[in-house]
């Protein structure tokens, strides 16, 4: 049987595309195809990824300039058809800027870029992305300057009520406190879905945690996506 | 054309003798454009006129060297068809004027030097020197520089994985920002800068040319005065996004067999890049300056030739690949234009609106560039032995680990993306050298930056040799085979005899150590005139060492486990002069510890072989450098959040010497089994002694002396930066 | 013709940069300062007159500002 | 009393961000746009009248702008 194909959208300035492809191939028994941002057609849309990096230099607001690329129009079309879409880091920023996900990612509270390992609590396993994750706490690196999740009071309440929050920053034991919040995100939010729960955005980088000695939890995350394909 | 006045010549930093030389070369008066070109080509920065004579003496070959100094970066062989391309470069003056942009563009420049040669950058490091923390400018310089380095490398997507940061009042008005980049290339896919083929097109690609940093290269060759701080046009703004596009598009074109020669436009921009390419290939060059993409209106040929706008490259392309090349650049959204072609005239001919505006012979200009044997003389030191207080051992330790130079650099390195590209195995806080895996293999490389300016100031030759030895030792301690170095020689004004003396001595010291350790110099950079109001920096020859790790299993870091025993390897004499301990006691006099290269080599080879043959017995490894034995042990505890018990030496009368002496050629080995180790050390006649044992304790215990809770050590270690940047 | 577009955070969004500036200013001894907020502006030069303002409004909405967090305002310069 | 301080790049200094915005706007089809430049502004509320402007000038010079690459201008709101 020919392998299924997962699409990864690449913008000028993306820099996690290669590592994402490696992680996907390692776990999902699929091929990956890079879609250059200027392409108006996405041939393979069983699943779409938007990788991390600095699309268009992250100028103006991280992610905004990328939302004007033709490929994003396609992403929006497919999102309506229920295609699973995952945006990581810059991908998350792009998804909020094109309004596929609620809220916005502001400059980190300490105004600095932050690169370190953090712990993530899996808040609920009711989404297609989280239901097969075989652990309750994951350790991933973060590396971003704008990861401070913000949403208005109303939308935040809706997000929580509708169980759209998937990941929260926590301690190694899973406690979600202010001191485990690296960037000032409201409610320690690190990853959310849309209302229909076919789109996931997250700041931490599972694709950077698949072979390193300090954390290999990315493998668990990608294994959990198997059923989707 | 306007006649050239004495004042104009002087403003271009050209001496009378040099001007006469120009007249001899072109057999007429130069016009302003030509004078400008001479001035940048013959500036200290581009011509190395004060140091060339001495740099030539450095050992530059070795069994792994593919390309030594003379190209954009050095290249070494790391087996299996792979090679490493690396170099270090300074951006000291620009970073003092505008720390954020200065540091950022420094990182951009060194990455271009590396990817010009066909390599993909895989690691960035930086070596930083700031003034006294109490100096009013230090804080904003530190915050600006670190953010600039981080933002640039992060955006391009290259991990910044190591470096050093040191504060001393000698850098109050002359900070040092040295950036190093290491790239990976296939041995048969290396690109050089030698232009070839009459008629071949010259392609310009990258940012549009603006009026940025015109005379930047000559600025780097002139001593600062107070006015310099208002010097506006010198500042160049970096665009890491364009850099990323340049990197990716060049990599794409390099796969196409289109490029004959390629060179980044660094210092002295279009001038030096076109001259160097043509001169290497003994070609002539014709440039149509009106074709150069410009950002500003009405730019003159002079401005176009001398601009230092960042993120630009020049390449000679095979004529039949021109269309394809331009298409690739277009796909990446970059400005790419044919601005001229190669000729057989041997001249550089510059046209603007169809008129010839300058013509200079290429070979003579390069070959006859000035080379000075500047007078050098040792400065007599008046030894003032001040009285100073003797601080108790545990106070001294706490003071050290909570002071600016030995505090945790977390505040710095958390701003650097270290995990991008997924191959960082250790960043420099986890091991003596930063370690990055060669993608998709079981090989890795180790990289380190070192210099002890305190030693170099007292004895530049010995201090510089120690720098090389320390770099070598760091690589061995991390489990690597040392291969080669790049160096960045930061000094004051070479026209002063005592500074010239420092420079010559320092190069001698580097040569001595490199020769002995078979550790060649494959690239480097010189930054002179780091001097303000007659106050020079300490001599700061930064050494960037690179080593190879055959199997990632052989990597060693700062790891310790319960019940491990820790041994010191090498002789301890208790040399306290110029040590960190003496400095915190207020005593800054003396000489550096002696360095016996024979013993250095012997100890290093022993450790290297032991790690290779008996790696299973070794939990971790750490070299002993400034701060001595006790600081090295404390660093292990802090890094592992574990306690240990430290033994007293036989001679308890000289405890301070034992714990804080900075004798060279020593390592700490953390062993989980010791019998084989003792036997082999004895056989090799290597001096060893057991110094500590990792016990089940939350304390840092010095037998019969004191104990400090590890939590307290960590808290002290983490406090300085937070307080300093947050006040 | 040049229009200036002002973009700033909506009320209720904490701006850490403005907070930091305020803190530093106080420390530097600028006592009379009661509050500080910040924003960005864009000067946009357009060629034709008609439809220009409309275009600028669209640009501000779709690109220059993010309605989740920001307000904008257009002035003719 | 509120003063507004405008800060923008000096002439001739490259603004890569403005370049990127311009390119995107073109891609989006905003044809009438000839040029775009950008800057920041700060709204500063001060208590007393006298010496206030002087203080704001100092603040702009020392904190809000980077004199090496930026200009500033103060307007009363
Ligand atoms: N201190 C040094 N030791 C060894 N090589 C050096 C040293 N300084 C400069 N070089 C070599 O001289 C050449 C020119 O250097 P540089 O002008 O810095 O190049 P670029 O313009 O590409 O940055 C390079 O090949 C560099 O490696
Ligand atoms: Mg170069």
């Amino acid at each position: 049987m020919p392998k299924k194909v997962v699409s990864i959208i690449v913008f000028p300035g993306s820099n996690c595309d290669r590592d994402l492809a490696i992680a996907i191939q390692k776990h999902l028994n699929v091929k990956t195809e890079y879609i250059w941002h200027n392409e108006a057609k996405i041939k393979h849309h069983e699943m779409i990824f938007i990788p991390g990096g600095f699309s268009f230099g992250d100028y103006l607001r991280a992610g905004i300039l990328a939302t004007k690329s033709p490929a994003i129009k396609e992403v929006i079309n497919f999102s309506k058809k229920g295609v699973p879409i995952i945006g990581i880091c810059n991908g998350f920023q792009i998804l909020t800027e094109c309004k596929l996900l609620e809220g916005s990612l502001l400059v980190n509270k300490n105004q600095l870029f932050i690169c370190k390992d953090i712990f993530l609590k899996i808040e609920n396993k009711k989404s297609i992305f989280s239901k097969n994750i075989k652990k309750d706490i994951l350790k991933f690196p973060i590396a971003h300057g704008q990861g401070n999740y913000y949403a208005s009071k109303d939308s935040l309440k809706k997000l929580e009520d509708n169980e759209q929050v998937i990941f929260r920053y926590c301690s190694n034991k899973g406690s979600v406190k202010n001191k485990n919040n690296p960037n000032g995100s409201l409610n320690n939010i690190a990853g959310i879905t849309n209302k229909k729960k076919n789109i996931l955005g997250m700041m931490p980088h599972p694709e950077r945690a698949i072979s390193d000695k300090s954390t290999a939890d990315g493998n668990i995350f990608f294994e959990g996506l198997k059923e989707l394909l | 054309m306007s006649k050239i006045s004495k004042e104009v010549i002087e403003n271009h930093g050209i001496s009378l003798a040099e001007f006469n030389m120009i007249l001899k070369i072109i057999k007429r008066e130069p016009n302003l454009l030509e004078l400008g070109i001479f001035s940048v080509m013959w500036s200290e920065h581009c011509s190395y006129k004060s140091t060339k004579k001495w740099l030539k003496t450095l050992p530059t070959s070795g069994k792994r060297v593919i390309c030594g100094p003379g190209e954009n970066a050095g290249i070494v062989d790391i087996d299996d068809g792979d090679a490493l391309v690396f170099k270090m470069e300074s951006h000291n003056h620009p970073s003092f004027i505008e720390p954020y942009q200065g540091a950022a563009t420094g990182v951009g420049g060194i990455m271009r030097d590396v990817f010009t040669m066909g390599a993909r950058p895989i690691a960035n490091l930086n070596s930083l020197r700031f003034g006294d923390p109490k100096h009013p400018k230090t804080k904003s310089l530190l915050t600006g520089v670190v953010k600039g380095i981080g933002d640039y490398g992060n955006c391009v997507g290259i991990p910044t994985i190591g470096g050093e940061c040191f504060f001393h009042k000698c850098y109050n008005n002359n900070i040092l920002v040295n950036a190093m980049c290491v790239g990976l290339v296939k041995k048969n896919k290396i690109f050089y800068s030698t232009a070839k083929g009459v008629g071949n097109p010259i392609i310009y690609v990258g940012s549009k040319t603006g009026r940025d940093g015109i005379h930047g290269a000559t600025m780097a060759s002139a001593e600062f005065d107070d006015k310099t701080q208002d010097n506006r046009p010198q500042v160049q703004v970096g665009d890491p996004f364009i850099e990323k596009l340049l990197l990716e598009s060049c990599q794409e074109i390099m796969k196409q067999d289109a490029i004959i020669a390629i060179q980044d436009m660094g210092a002295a921009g279009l001038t030096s890049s076109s001259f160097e390419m043509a001169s290497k290939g003994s070609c002539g060059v014709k440039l149509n300056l009106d074709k150069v993409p410009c950002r500003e209106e009405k730019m003159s040929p002079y401005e176009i030739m001398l601009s230092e706008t960042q993120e630009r490259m020049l390449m000679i392309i095979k004529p039949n690949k021109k269309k394809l090349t331009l298409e690739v650049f277009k796909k990446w959204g970059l400005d790419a234009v044919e601005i001229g072609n190669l000729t057989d005239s041997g001249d550089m001919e510059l046209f603007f609106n169809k008129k010839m505006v300058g013509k200079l012979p290429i070979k003579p200009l390069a070959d006859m560039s000035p080379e000075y044997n500047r007078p050098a003389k040792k400065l007599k030191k008046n030894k003032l032995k001040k009285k100073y207080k003797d601080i108790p051992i545990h106070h001294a330790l706490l003071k050290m680990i909570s002071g600016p130079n030995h505090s945790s650099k977390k505040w710095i390195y958390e701003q650097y993306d270290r995990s991008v590209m997924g191959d960082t195995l250790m960043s420099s806080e986890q091991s003596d050298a930063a370690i990055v895996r060669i993608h998709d293999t079981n090989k890795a490389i180790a990289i380190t930056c070192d210099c002890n300016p305190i030693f170099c100031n007292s004895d530049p030759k010995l201090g510089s040799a120690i720098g090389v030895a320390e770099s070598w030792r760091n690589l061995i301690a991390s489990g690597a085979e040392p291969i080669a170095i790049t160096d960045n020689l930061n000094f004051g004004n070479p026209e002063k005899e005592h500074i010239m003396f420092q420079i010559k001595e320092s190069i001698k010291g580097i040569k001595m150590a490199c020769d002995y350790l078979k550790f060649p110099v494959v690239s480097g950079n010189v930054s002179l005139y780091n001097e303000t109001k007659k106050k020079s920096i300490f001599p700061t020859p930064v050494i960037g060492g690179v080593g190879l790790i055959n199997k990632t299993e052989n990597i060693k870091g700062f790891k310790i486990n319960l019940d491990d025993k820790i041994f010191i390897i090498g002789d301890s004499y208790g040399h306290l002069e110029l040590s960190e301990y003496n400095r915190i006691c207020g005593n800054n006099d003396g000489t550096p510890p002696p360095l016996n290269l024979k013993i250095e080599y012997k100890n290093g080879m022993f450790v290297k072989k032991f790690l290779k043959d008996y790696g299973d017995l070794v939990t971790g490894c750490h070299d002993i450098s400034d701060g001595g034995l006790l600081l090295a042990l404390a660093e292990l505890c802090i890094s592992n959040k574990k306690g240990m018990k430290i033994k007293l030496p036989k001679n308890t009368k000289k405890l301070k010497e034992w714990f804080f002496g900075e004798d060279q050629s020593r390592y700490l080995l953390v062993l989980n089994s010791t019998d084989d180790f003792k036997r082999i050390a004895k056989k090799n006649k290597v001096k060893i002694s057991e110094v500590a044992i990792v016990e089940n304790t939350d304390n840092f215990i010095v037998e019969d002396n004191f104990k400090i809770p590890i939590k307290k050590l960590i808290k002290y270690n983490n406090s300085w930066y937070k307080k300093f940047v947050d006040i | 013709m040049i229009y200036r577009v002002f973009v700033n955070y909506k009320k209720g969004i904490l701006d850490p940069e403005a907070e930091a500036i305020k803190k530093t200013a106080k420390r530097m001894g600028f006592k009379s300062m009661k509050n500080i907020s910040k924003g960005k502006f864009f000067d946009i030069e357009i060629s034709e007159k008609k439809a220009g303002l409309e275009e600028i409004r669209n640009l501000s909405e779709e690109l220059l500002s993010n309605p989740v967090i920001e307000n904008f305002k257009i002035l003719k310069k």
Side-chain angles (χ1 to χ4, degrees), chain A, chain B, chain C:
Chain A
M1 204 178 73
K3 280 188 180 177
K4 290 185 176 176
V5 182
V6 163
S7 290
I8 300 172
I9 319 275
V10 182
F11 301 91
S14 295
N15 62 31
C16 302
D17 38 333
R18 180 196 73 179
D19 295 324
L20 188 55
I22 291 171
I24 292 168
Q25 284 165 22
K26 180 173 170 194
H27 291 284
L28 301 184
N29 189 33
V30 292
K31 284 203 223 166
T32 53
E33 184 168 297
Y34 295 125
I35 307 292
W36 185 237
H37 74 114
N38 253 345
E39 278 170 43
K41 269 252 158 315
I42 298 178
K43 250 193 303 171
H44 301 284
H45 36 77
E46 271 135 334
M47 190 166 181
I48 299 173
F49 280 84
I50 308 181
F54 287 71
S55 56
F56 295 92
D58 268 3
Y59 289 128
L60 192 55
R61 302 183 303 276
I64 175 66
L65 300 185
T67 63
K68 310 305 174 195
S69 286
I72 286 294
K73 284 210 187 85
E74 278 279 275
V75 171
I76 294 173
N77 284 338
F78 287 121
S79 74
K80 288 177 190 148
K81 294 180 186 153
V83 170
I85 295 168
I86 298 183
I88 297 169
C89 197
N90 196 225
F92 187 10
Q93 293 162 340
I94 292 170
L95 289 170
T96 59
E97 278 292 353
C98 64
K99 309 285 178 298
L100 287 178
L101 291 175
E102 207 98 3
S104 179
L105 292 145
L106 308 178
V107 171
N108 294 344
K109 200 172 166 196
N110 69 357
Q111 295 181 75
L112 301 174
F113 188 95
I114 302 171
C115 173
K116 65 176 185 186
D117 288 343
I118 49 86
F119 292 94
L120 275 190
K121 183 177 176 197
I122 296 152
E123 184 61 30
N124 75 64
K125 297 204 171 179
K126 290 172 189 162
S127 81
I128 52 172
F129 306 106
S130 56
K131 70 175 180 200
N132 291 320
I133 296 180
K134 300 236 149 52
K135 236 177 162 183
D136 298 324
I137 297 164
L138 299 170
K139 186 181 175 193
F140 288 157
I142 54 167
H144 58 245
Q146 286 182 45
N148 176 359
Y149 185 79
Y150 170 85
S152 68
K153 250 196 185 137
D154 290 350
S155 19
L156 193 64
K157 182 164 186 307
K158 277 190 217 146
L159 272 180
E160 295 284 7
D161 291 350
N162 194 29
E163 299 183 303
Q164 285 168 249
V165 176
I166 307 294
F167 299 121
R168 285 190 220 275
Y169 300 108
C170 67
S171 74
N172 59 352
K173 303 218 165 65
S175 93
V176 178
K177 295 228 175 81
N178 201 19
K179 71 172 192 210
N180 314 117
N181 187 340
N183 53 23
S185 294
L186 290 178
N187 298 2
N188 282 35
I189 288 174
I192 58 168
T193 67
N194 59 338
K195 214 164 147 194
K196 269 169 66 187
K197 299 193 179 162
N198 64 316
I199 307 175
L200 170 69
M202 62 194 287
M203 287 314 293
H205 287 279
E207 82 283 8
R208 295 187 190 178
I210 59 168
S211 67
D212 195 9
K213 286 179 214 140
S214 78
T215 158
D217 283 355
N219 295 320
I220 297 167
F221 173 83
F222 286 103
E223 280 296 311
L225 301 177
K226 256 184 176 159
E227 241 177 55
L228 288 176
L229 288 153
Chain B
M1 288 285 157
S2 61
K3 273 268 176 203
I4 302 290
S5 72
K6 248 199 172 128
E7 201 188 344
V8 171
I9 297 171
E10 214 170 85
N11 282 345
H12 279 76
I14 289 178
S15 72
L16 208 62
E18 287 168 357
F19 189 69
N20 286 331
M21 188 59 122
I22 294 176
L23 295 178
K24 221 157 118 195
I25 292 176
I26 64 172
K27 299 185 185 74
R28 62 177 165 86
E29 273 221 339
N31 62 32
L32 192 64
L33 167 63
E34 293 165 338
L35 186 76
I37 291 176
F38 269 104
S39 85
V40 291
M41 287 302 291
W42 286 5
S43 70
E44 189 65 58
H45 193 88
C46 291
S47 76
Y48 293 91
K49 54 191 170 192
S50 305
T51 52
K52 217 186 311 186
K53 187 173 166 60
W54 312 106
L55 290 177
K56 282 181 200 156
T57 64
L58 290 172
T60 58
S61 56
K63 65 179 204 301
R64 287 189 179 274
V65 177
I66 295 174
C67 170
E71 272 288 342
N72 284 303
I75 309 185
V76 296
D77 191 335
I78 54 163
D79 305 332
D80 314 309
D82 296 326
L84 290 181
V85 179
F86 63 98
K87 184 170 181 259
M88 199 180 327
E89 183 139 292
S90 64
H91 236 204
N92 304 336
H93 299 285
S95 301
F96 183 74
I97 293 171
E98 202 335 82
Y100 180 84
Q101 295 297 347
T105 51
V107 173
I110 191 61
M111 284 200 282
R112 279 195 301 288
D113 271 339
V114 165
F115 73 71
T116 312
M117 303 200 73
R120 180 174 280 279
I122 57 172
N124 282 329
L125 284 88
N126 54 82
S127 170
L128 311 178
R129 301 284 184 287
F130 296 100
D132 189 334
K134 290 195 203 85
H135 188 275
K137 292 202 78 161
T138 300
K139 182 179 147 188
S140 65
L141 288 168
L142 170 74
T143 51
V145 163
V146 170
K147 192 163 170 35
I149 290 174
D151 283 0
Y152 202 102
N154 297 349
C155 181
V156 181
I158 311 301
T160 303
I161 57 174
E164 42 167 11
C165 182
F166 180 82
F167 298 83
H168 190 279
K169 65 174 191 283
C170 76
Y171 304 105
N172 277 357
N173 291 303
N174 293 85
I175 61 170
L176 301 183
V177 175
N178 294 177
M180 177 172 174
C181 178
V182 183
L184 178 69
V185 69
K186 282 287 169 200
K187 251 163 74 178
N188 56 356
K189 292 275 182 213
I190 298 171
F191 288 81
Y192 294 99
S193 60
T194 307
K196 272 194 208 107
V198 172
N200 282 343
I202 302 173
I203 307 279
Y204 167 116
V205 61
S207 292
K208 289 188 172 68
T209 298
R211 294 194 168 96
D212 330 50
I214 291 173
H215 272 178
T218 38
M219 168 179 81
S221 316
E223 206 176 307
F224 269 17
D225 58 42
D226 264 343
K227 272 185 269 159
T228 319
Q229 297 195 23
D230 293 319
N231 247 340
R232 272 156 203 144
Q234 317 285 18
V235 180
Q236 304 142 37
V237 171
D239 186 347
F241 175 55
I242 298 285
E243 177 101 343
K244 167 79 173 165
L245 301 185
L246 271 178
L247 165 63
E248 298 302 335
S249 56
C250 285
Q251 294 259 316
E252 195 172 324
I253 292 166
M254 281 163 173
K255 287 190 194 125
Q256 305 277 357
D257 189 34
I259 298 174
I260 294 169
I262 175 167
Q263 160 99 2
D264 66 303
M265 292 189 225
L270 187 52
T271 295
S272 71
S273 52
S274 55
F275 256 99
E276 278 166 24
M277 287 170 100
S279 145
K280 278 183 193 150
S282 306
C283 298
V285 161
K286 189 180 150 194
L287 296 179
N288 298 309
L289 297 178
D290 34 311
K291 293 264 170 64
V292 172
C294 285
R295 199 171 77 225
E296 303 276 317
E297 278 169 15
K298 295 205 183 111
M299 285 190 57
S300 68
Y302 180 95
E303 290 172 321
I304 293 170
M305 283 304 284
L306 267 55
S307 160
E308 293 198 340
T309 296
Q310 301 288 300
E311 291 96 18
R312 302 179 301 162
M313 312 272 261
L314 205 60
M315 46 186 87
I316 314 292
I317 295 288
K318 290 186 181 163
N320 60 345
K321 295 284 168 80
K322 194 172 94 184
K323 200 167 144 241
L324 178 127
T325 303
L326 296 178
E327 265 165 20
V328 172
F329 286 131
K330 191 167 166 210
K331 170 189 150 192
W332 287 95
L334 289 170
D335 281 307
V337 188
E338 178 179 351
I339 61 163
N341 45 277
L342 298 181
T343 67
D344 55 5
S345 66
D347 291 332
M348 165 165 286
E349 297 166 292
L350 303 172
F351 288 84
F352 194 64
N353 296 331
K354 302 230 161 72
K355 258 185 32 209
M356 189 186 281
V357 289
K359 181 176 170 180
L360 293 169
I362 288 170
K363 264 281 170 206
L365 197 148
D367 293 347
M368 287 160 84
S369 76
E371 174 176 323
Y372 295 136
N373 183 1
R374 295 194 192 276
K377 210 169 109 198
K378 189 171 179 172
L379 201 64
K380 267 224 188 95
K381 263 188 220 145
N382 30 347
K383 279 216 168 175
L384 307 154
K385 275 271 179 217
K386 267 193 300 184
K387 274 233 159 173
Y388 59 93
K389 52 184 190 309
D390 215 22
I391 300 179
I393 291 171
H394 79 288
H395 284 175
L397 178 67
L398 286 174
K399 210 166 163 182
M400 251 178 232
I401 61 157
S402 60
N405 289 331
H406 291 287
S407 279
S408 161
K409 311 272 190 297
K410 201 177 185 163
W411 179 84
I412 295 180
Y413 64 71
E414 279 192 354
Q415 295 185 56
Y416 301 152
D417 191 340
R418 289 154 290 142
S419 55
V420 65
M421 293 178 91
D423 284 313
T424 303
L425 300 181
M426 301 246 171
S427 46
S428 64
E429 73 281 2
Q430 296 169 296
S431 134
D432 284 317
I435 298 174
V436 40
R437 177 175 40 217
I438 302 300
H439 189 67
D440 223 7
T441 72
N442 196 27
K443 277 193 302 195
I445 56 164
I447 318 164
T448 168
C449 290
D450 302 280
C451 177
N452 183 326
I454 307 284
F455 290 174
C456 292
N457 187 50
S458 157
D459 183 340
K461 183 174 171 199
L462 176 55
S464 302
I466 286 175
V468 174
E470 184 174 348
S471 166
W472 194 76
R473 213 178 294 145
N474 281 337
L475 295 174
I476 288 193
S478 68
E481 166 203 334
I483 301 179
I485 64 164
T486 180
D487 64 356
N488 205 329
L489 308 178
N490 305 279
F491 290 86
N493 179 353
E495 294 159 44
K496 293 183 182 159
E497 294 186 347
H498 74 280
I499 302 284
M500 200 57 225
F501 176 82
Q502 293 174 343
I503 298 172
K504 279 168 70 173
E505 286 292 296
S506 171
I507 294 177
K508 272 189 211 159
I510 294 174
K511 173 180 159 49
M512 182 176 80
C514 286
D515 272 335
Y516 205 100
L517 301 173
K518 302 189 186 73
F519 201 29
V521 182
V522 296
S523 61
N525 184 251
V526 178
S527 168
L528 303 179
Y529 299 93
N530 292 289
E531 195 159 325
T532 300
K533 289 192 244 167
K534 308 247 146 62
K535 273 227 160 97
S536 166
I537 59 161
F538 284 1
T540 315
V542 179
I543 306 297
V546 171
L548 175 65
I549 297 170
N550 275 323
K551 295 195 192 92
T552 48
E553 301 88 77
N554 294 345
I555 292 171
K556 294 297 166 211
F558 296 160
K559 204 158 165 37
I560 59 177
N561 284 330
L562 192 59
D563 297 331
D564 283 347
K565 289 189 169 135
I566 302 178
F567 280 74
I568 201 170
I569 289 165
D571 291 289
S572 304
Y573 305 99
H575 189 97
L576 274 186
E577 281 182 15
L578 297 185
S579 69
E580 179 71 18
Y581 175 78
N582 268 17
R583 250 176 297 147
I584 64 169
C585 294
N587 177 14
N588 298 307
D589 300 320
T591 54
L595 173 70
N596 182 330
L597 284 165
K598 207 168 135 191
I599 290 176
E600 182 74 55
Y601 192 75
K602 186 175 93 177
N603 292 354
M605 283 302 148
F606 167 75
V607 173
K608 188 173 151 237
K609 188 145 190 332
F610 192 78
L611 292 182
K612 188 162 162 250
D613 297 346
Y614 296 89
D616 291 351
L617 311 183
V618 185
T619 310
C621 186
H622 189 6
D623 85 313
I624 301 180
S625 60
D626 49 340
L629 171 65
L630 203 64
L631 183 66
L633 290 168
E635 285 168 347
L636 290 177
C637 289
I638 290 170
S639 166
N640 288 275
K641 300 193 173 87
K642 283 196 175 90
M644 62 171 63
K645 191 155 114 203
I646 294 148
K647 299 186 168 193
L648 291 184
K650 285 194 197 90
N651 181 358
T652 51
K653 281 198 189 109
K654 297 212 155 171
L655 275 190
K656 282 168 190 134
E657 284 80 355
W658 170 250
F659 280 132
F660 292 118
E662 296 189 5
D663 311 296
Q664 294 299 298
S665 317
R666 297 186 300 162
Y667 299 80
L668 287 178
L669 265 192
V670 186
L671 295 158
N672 51 50
S673 154
T674 58
D675 292 346
D676 285 326
F677 170 71
K678 286 180 185 158
R679 177 175 56 78
I680 294 162
K682 199 167 171 195
K683 208 176 97 194
N684 283 280
K685 301 198 175 71
V686 168
K687 181 80 164 283
I688 59 166
S689 46
E690 189 179 328
V691 290
I693 176 160
V694 185
E695 286 189 348
N696 192 3
T697 166
D698 295 327
N699 293 291
F700 185 77
I701 305 168
V702 173
E703 228 174 35
D704 302 326
N705 212 299
F706 64 86
K707 68 177 185 189
I708 306 172
I710 298 300
K711 273 201 174 141
K712 182 173 173 184
L713 274 186
I714 293 173
K715 198 173 136 216
Y716 271 59
N717 196 228
N718 281 330
S719 61
W720 189 83
Y721 274 92
K722 250 187 241 150
K723 252 195 249 149
F724 183 63
V725 298
D726 218 64
I727 298 167
Chain C
M1 200 163 33
I2 298 178
Y3 286 97
R4 179 167 279 188
V5 181
F6 293 88
V7 178
N8 60 356
Y9 274 151
K10 286 191 166 151
K11 248 211 169 122
I13 296 192
L14 185 75
D15 181 355
E17 191 184 340
E19 290 304 307
I21 292 171
K22 193 153 77 185
K23 218 167 109 188
T24 310
K26 289 261 180 235
R27 216 170 35 222
M28 287 165 75
F30 295 101
K31 290 197 193 100
S32 52
M33 192 183 61
K34 283 212 300 205
N35 214 346
I36 184 164
S37 69
K38 67 161 228 308
K40 317 179 248 195
F41 68 85
F42 302 88
D43 285 343
I44 304 172
E45 196 185 331
I46 55 171
S47 45
E48 331 132 51
K49 260 185 203 157
K50 59 168 182 184
L53 185 60
E54 195 49 35
E55 277 207 359
I56 288 188
R57 194 183 317 282
N58 288 340
L59 190 71
S60 307
E61 230 164 58
E62 290 172 31
L63 187 69
L64 301 179
S65 75
N66 177 348
V68 177
I69 48 172
E70 291 164 328
N71 295 316
F72 71 89
K73 197 170 152 184
I74 302 170
L75 285 182
K76 199 166 149 184
K77 245 191 111 178

